[in-house]
């Protein structure tokens, strides 16, 4: 780790935070917030590395403040970089990409790395050079890598030792791949070594002048409802578009130490571990965390001055089963979640044990935050909050008409007469899918919800997850939320199952809590069914229950209901 050492010294949180209060009124985010509010036009040119990261580096010169990046692992190793150091190292990384790797502006690079500091350097290096980055999770298989390399036509891929063999197995079908870049302490035949090249790379690099709507990133969707699709994002969509979410939902400023546990292959890492916090001058805290370990997460929250925390609802579900109340979070002030619906029971358990509410946000790979629960507003457990600027969010019917409060429909974003700048550019090489995502004046998220009289949105389910049983439309999330309130349920997934009388019925796949694993299955099934009948409308109860050891999930940890549904309908 010697390459990454710096001379920033940790101090007690109270002293440290008092020292940085002078920066809270910094004008850097103000201009971009005006763009979000529609008071100013999107600039013709924008580059997050030069227009945000480098400018923070200039502001912090001569001042003692939080690091911009703070990385730790279980071996007590640490990496701390200021914005100025991030600038220096990412310029060197940019020279690696355009020098030994032979990449040019507009080329595509796949970055499939665990939570290592090099991921952040390469992210900024790509932005500096105009190279389009394509993140992927380290859980990808050879088949996954081959699919993504072929679809994206990436010219370079960067991985750690773990995935190098999988890349070599996928190369035969990946005609566009020219360069393999390894992040490792050792060398491998046929690979360039990033750490070695970074050591000797020159420091000087002129950042390219990228247009705001120029491609910056391609993310493969999580594949919850079909094969992963390539979503293209522009230079300004995340770079400027996440300004509002950083302030409103994440409650970020220059005194914030923000930890988000997301895998680097998931869009939430770009949102919460780079663009939103750095736009606001916050410290990005990263734990290597090879796998989500509740004890490690809780100990980290208790040991470091983290005051804003974000993890997926699945993470919170795991944490509340580990006696959160026995840990003392001296600095934690604000908790955030997203990526999947948050069950009200988990919200209440976390609040009871930690004393803190969870602020849920809703968005997609294709968007920035669509709905948020802003700090200070009334939180309705189970709701994903209210629309976040600059979006005009509505619930519409099949003809594109806006639904009144209380009526279920498709979650849609208004795109006419003017398309929001922070909405994705297109599905790459898939104009049919791009066109199909629009209905009238709106972009369709593919999710269904209701809106109440106070403007709060309530998630129902993916459009293709809705269960139609004997004429009753049933959203799986509500049934899952009811199930998880029972102490026997660790996790569940609800899908439709064929039925000769009703056409289809509700089926629940349930992972049991350890204390209930020895209980009689038939008796427990009846108990769960009766429980759901008392919590929600009786017609929604699962007429079929199957106890399982695990549920199929995407690399981002989202439950793949489509896989379970296909099995039920004999399509697997």
């Amino acid at each position: 780790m010697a390459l990454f050492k710096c001379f920033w010294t940790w101090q007690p949180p109270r002293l440290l935070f008092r020292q940085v209060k002078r920066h809270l009124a910094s004008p850097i985010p103000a201009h971009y917030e005006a763009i979000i509010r529609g008071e100013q036009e999107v600039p013709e040119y924008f580059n997050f590395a030069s227009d945000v990261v480098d400018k923070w580096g200039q502001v912090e010169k001569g001042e003692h403040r939080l690091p911009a990046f703070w990385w730790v692992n279980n071996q007590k190793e640490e990496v701390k970089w200021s914005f100025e150091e991030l600038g220096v190292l990412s310029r060197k990384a940019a020279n690696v990409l355009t020098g030994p790797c032979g990449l040019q502006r507009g080329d595509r690079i796949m970055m499939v790395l665990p939570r290592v500091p090099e991921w952040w350097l390469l992210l900024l290096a790509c932005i500096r050079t105009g190279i389009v980055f394509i993140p992927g999770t380290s859980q990808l298989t050879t088949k996954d890598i081959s699919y993504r390399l072929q679809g994206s036509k990436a010219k370079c891929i960067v991985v750690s030792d773990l995935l190098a063999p999988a890349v070599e197995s996928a190369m035969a079908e990946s005609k566009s791949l020219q360069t393999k870049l390894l992040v490792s302490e050792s060398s491998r035949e046929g690979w360039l070594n990033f750490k070695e090249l970074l050591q000797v790379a020159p420091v000087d690099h002129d950042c390219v002048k990228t247009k705001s709507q120029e491609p910056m990133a391609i993310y493969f969707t999580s594949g919850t409802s079909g094969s992963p699709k390539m979503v293209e994002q522009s230079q300004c969509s995340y770079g400027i578009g996440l300004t509002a979410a950083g302030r409103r939902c994440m409650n970020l400023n220059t005194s914030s130490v923000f930890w988000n546990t997301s895998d680097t292959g998931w869009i939430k890492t770009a949102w919460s571990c780079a663009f939103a916090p750095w736009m606001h001058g916050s410290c990005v805290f990263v734990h290597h965390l090879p796998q989500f370990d509740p004890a490690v997460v809780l100990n980290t929250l208790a040991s470091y001055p983290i005051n804003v925390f974000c993890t997926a609802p699945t993470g919170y579900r795991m944490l509340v089963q580990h006696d959160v109340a026995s840990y003392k979070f001296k600095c934690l002030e604000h908790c955030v979640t997203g990526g999947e619906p948050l069950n009200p029971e988990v919200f209440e358990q976390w609040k009871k044990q930690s004393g803190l509410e969870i602020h849920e946000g809703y968005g997609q790979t294709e968007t920035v935050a669509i709905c948020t629960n802003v700090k200070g507003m009334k939180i309705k457990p189970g709701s994903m909050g209210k629309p976040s600027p600059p979006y005009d969010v509505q619930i519409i019917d099949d003809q594109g008409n806006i639904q009144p409060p209380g009526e279920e429909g498709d979650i849609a974003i208004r795109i006419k007469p003017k398309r929001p700048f922070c909405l994705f550019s297109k599905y790459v090489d898939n104009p049919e899918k791009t066109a199909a995502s629009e209905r009238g004046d709106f972009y369709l998220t593919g999710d269904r919800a209701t809106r109440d009289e106070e403007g709060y949105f309530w998630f129902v389910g993916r459009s293709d997850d809705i269960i139609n049983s004997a004429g009753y439309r049933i959203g799986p999330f509500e049934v899952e939320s009811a199930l998880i309130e029972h102490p026997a349920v660790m996790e569940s997934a609800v899908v439709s199952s064929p039925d000769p009388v009703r056409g289809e019925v509700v089926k629940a796949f349930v992972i049991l809590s350890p204390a209930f694993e020895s209980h009689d299955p038939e008796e427990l099934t009846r108990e769960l069914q009766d429980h759901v009948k008392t919590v929600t409308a009786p017609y929604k109860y699962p007429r079929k229950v199957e106890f399982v050891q695990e549920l199929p999930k995407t690399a981002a940890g989202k439950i793949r209901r489509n896989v379970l549904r296909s099995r039920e309908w004999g399509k697997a």
Side-chain angles (χ1 to χ4, degrees):
M1 305 300 294
L3 172 64
F4 301 120
K5 285 185 178 178
C6 71
F7 298 101
W8 186 89
T9 304
W10 186 88
Q11 296 187 30
R14 291 180 181 175
L15 174 60
L16 190 62
F17 293 165
R18 186 164 61 245
Q19 288 177 324
V20 300
K21 282 185 178 179
R22 65 174 68 93
H23 293 298
L24 295 180
S26 172
I28 289 180
H31 169 62
Y32 301 113
E33 289 180 355
I35 294 172
I36 293 288
R37 294 192 299 267
E39 298 169 359
Q40 296 184 25
E41 291 296 319
V42 176
E44 182 180 2
Y45 295 93
F46 176 77
N47 186 284
F48 186 81
S50 61
D51 292 333
V52 177
V53 172
D54 289 352
K55 287 189 177 179
W56 276 117
Q58 295 167 7
V59 168
E60 73 184 0
K61 282 186 177 179
E63 301 287 351
H64 189 90
R65 67 180 307 278
L66 286 164
F69 181 81
W70 186 352
W71 178 94
V72 303
N73 64 13
N74 286 333
Q75 288 71 49
K76 306 299 182 182
E77 295 176 307
E78 291 193 343
V79 171
K80 295 171 186 172
W81 293 325
S82 65
F83 279 105
E84 185 177 9
E85 289 167 321
L86 265 177
V88 171
L89 289 168
S90 62
R91 290 186 195 97
K92 288 169 69 69
N95 285 321
V96 172
L97 296 182
T98 56
C101 293
L103 299 176
Q104 301 177 0
R105 182 175 183 169
D107 287 343
R108 298 170 181 173
I109 179 173
M110 276 190 65
M111 304 194 315
V112 191
L113 292 170
R115 300 176 189 87
V116 292
E118 289 81 2
W119 189 89
W120 281 262
L121 294 185
L122 285 162
L123 176 81
L124 290 176
C126 288
I127 296 172
R128 289 189 184 281
T129 55
I131 294 168
V132 180
F133 62 88
I134 309 172
T137 173
S138 294
Q139 298 178 41
L140 294 179
T141 64
T142 299
K143 181 180 179 181
D144 295 327
I145 292 172
S146 179
Y147 175 84
R148 285 159 173 74
L149 284 173
Q150 290 182 66
S152 67
K153 300 179 178 62
K155 290 187 177 180
C156 178
I157 187 169
V158 53
V159 299
S160 61
D161 289 307
L162 180 66
L163 279 181
V167 173
E168 291 168 347
S169 298
M171 284 183 58
E173 298 176 345
S174 309
K175 306 302 181 184
S176 300
L177 187 63
Q178 298 175 3
T179 305
K180 304 187 300 297
L181 191 59
L182 189 68
V183 175
S184 172
E185 299 295 340
S186 58
S187 300
R188 187 180 183 94
E189 186 177 354
W191 291 73
L192 298 176
N193 187 290
F194 177 73
K195 291 189 175 185
E196 293 176 358
L197 293 172
L198 188 67
Q199 288 274 17
V200 299
V203 174
D204 294 332
H205 180 272
D206 293 326
C207 185
V208 300
K209 191 177 181 181
T210 50
K211 288 199 169 186
S212 289
Q213 297 304 328
E214 189 172 325
M216 179 186 70
I218 291 175
Y219 270 86
F220 280 82
T221 59
S222 55
T224 53
S225 58
S227 298
K229 298 171 287 292
M230 292 186 288
V231 177
E232 181 183 280
Q233 292 288 356
S234 68
Q235 295 288 338
C236 70
S237 57
Y238 287 169
I240 299 177
L242 285 163
T243 305
R247 177 176 54 83
R248 291 166 56 84
C249 184
M250 303 174 198
N251 197 41
L252 298 175
N253 55 47
T254 51
S255 293
S256 301
V257 179
F258 184 27
W259 182 27
N260 165 50
T261 65
S262 300
D263 185 283
T264 54
W266 190 20
I267 192 63
K268 199 71 169 65
T269 295
W271 287 21
S272 301
C273 299
F275 295 109
W278 283 342
M279 175 63 80
H280 291 274
S282 304
C283 170
V284 170
F285 183 91
V286 180
H287 194 296
H288 185 239
L289 207 65
Q291 60 184 12
F292 192 92
D293 184 326
V296 172
V297 172
L298 293 170
N299 277 316
T300 301
L301 287 171
S303 303
Y304 292 89
I306 298 159
N307 52 9
V308 186
F309 174 63
C310 178
T311 193
T314 298
Y316 282 110
R317 284 198 292 269
M318 297 170 69
L319 292 174
V320 296
Q321 297 182 38
H322 281 74
D323 190 19
V324 175
S326 66
Y327 294 83
K328 303 300 180 185
F329 307 142
K330 298 178 182 179
C331 298
L332 190 59
E333 300 171 343
H334 190 66
C335 300
V336 185
T337 196
E340 59 179 322
L342 177 69
N343 304 102
E345 174 67 13
V346 177
F347 175 94
E348 296 295 349
Q349 283 296 320
W350 177 261
K351 183 177 180 180
K352 178 181 178 181
Q353 296 183 41
S354 71
L356 298 167
E357 294 183 319
I358 302 173
H359 295 73
E360 182 175 0
Y362 164 72
Q364 298 181 305
T365 307
E366 291 89 339
T367 69
V368 293
I370 297 172
C371 292
T372 58
N373 281 279
V374 181
K375 187 174 179 65
M377 71 182 275
K378 178 178 67 175
I379 294 181
K380 298 182 179 183
S383 166
M384 52 196 185
K386 296 182 178 182
S388 181
Y391 289 137
D392 176 2
V393 188
Q394 300 291 343
I395 302 296
I396 65 172
D397 64 16
D398 293 342
Q399 286 72 48
N401 301 311
I402 297 175
Q403 295 282 71
E407 290 294 323
E408 181 187 317
D410 295 307
I411 305 174
I413 294 171
R414 190 180 297 279
I415 57 174
K416 295 177 182 177
K418 186 176 181 180
R419 186 181 179 90
F421 74 90
C422 46
L423 194 60
F424 77 116
S425 305
K426 62 183 178 182
Y427 292 108
V428 179
D429 299 331
N430 197 339
E432 295 82 9
K433 175 61 179 175
T434 303
S437 68
E438 299 180 7
R439 180 186 300 158
D441 293 344
F442 295 94
Y443 159 74
L444 299 172
T445 65
D447 292 326
R448 293 180 67 82
T450 61
R451 182 183 66 248
D452 67 21
E453 294 285 353
E454 294 183 273
Y456 286 76
F457 281 65
W458 299 82
F459 185 82
V460 173
R462 289 291 300 173
S463 298
D464 49 8
D465 283 341
I466 299 298
I467 302 163
N468 192 333
S469 182
Y472 291 96
R473 293 175 61 82
I474 304 166
F477 176 62
E478 187 173 4
V479 183
E480 291 166 0
S481 293
L483 283 167
I484 204 166
E485 292 183 21
H486 194 284
V489 179
M490 173 86 74
E491 195 168 15
S492 69
V494 168
V495 300
S496 66
S497 181
D499 182 82
V501 178
R502 294 175 175 82
E504 54 187 86
V505 295
V506 176
K507 178 170 180 177
F509 293 84
V510 175
I511 298 177
L512 290 173
S513 299
F516 288 81
E517 290 177 349
S518 60
H519 285 218
D520 178 68
E522 291 186 8
E523 182 179 332
L524 197 52
T525 294
R526 288 192 296 271
E527 186 176 332
L528 292 176
Q529 290 172 329
D530 290 340
H531 168 75
V532 173
K533 290 178 184 178
T534 62
V535 173
T536 186
Y539 70 84
K540 297 180 181 181
Y541 85 92
R543 295 177 183 270
K544 300 179 182 179
V545 176
E546 182 177 335
F547 299 108
V548 296
Q549 295 298 313
E550 60 182 4
L551 296 169
K553 295 183 178 181
T554 69
K558 298 180 184 179
I559 296 172
R560 299 187 66 190
R561 293 194 191 95
N562 62 311
V563 172
L564 296 172
R565 188 170 56 247
S566 294
R567 292 178 188 171
E568 284 300 296
W569 290 86
K571 298 177 182 179

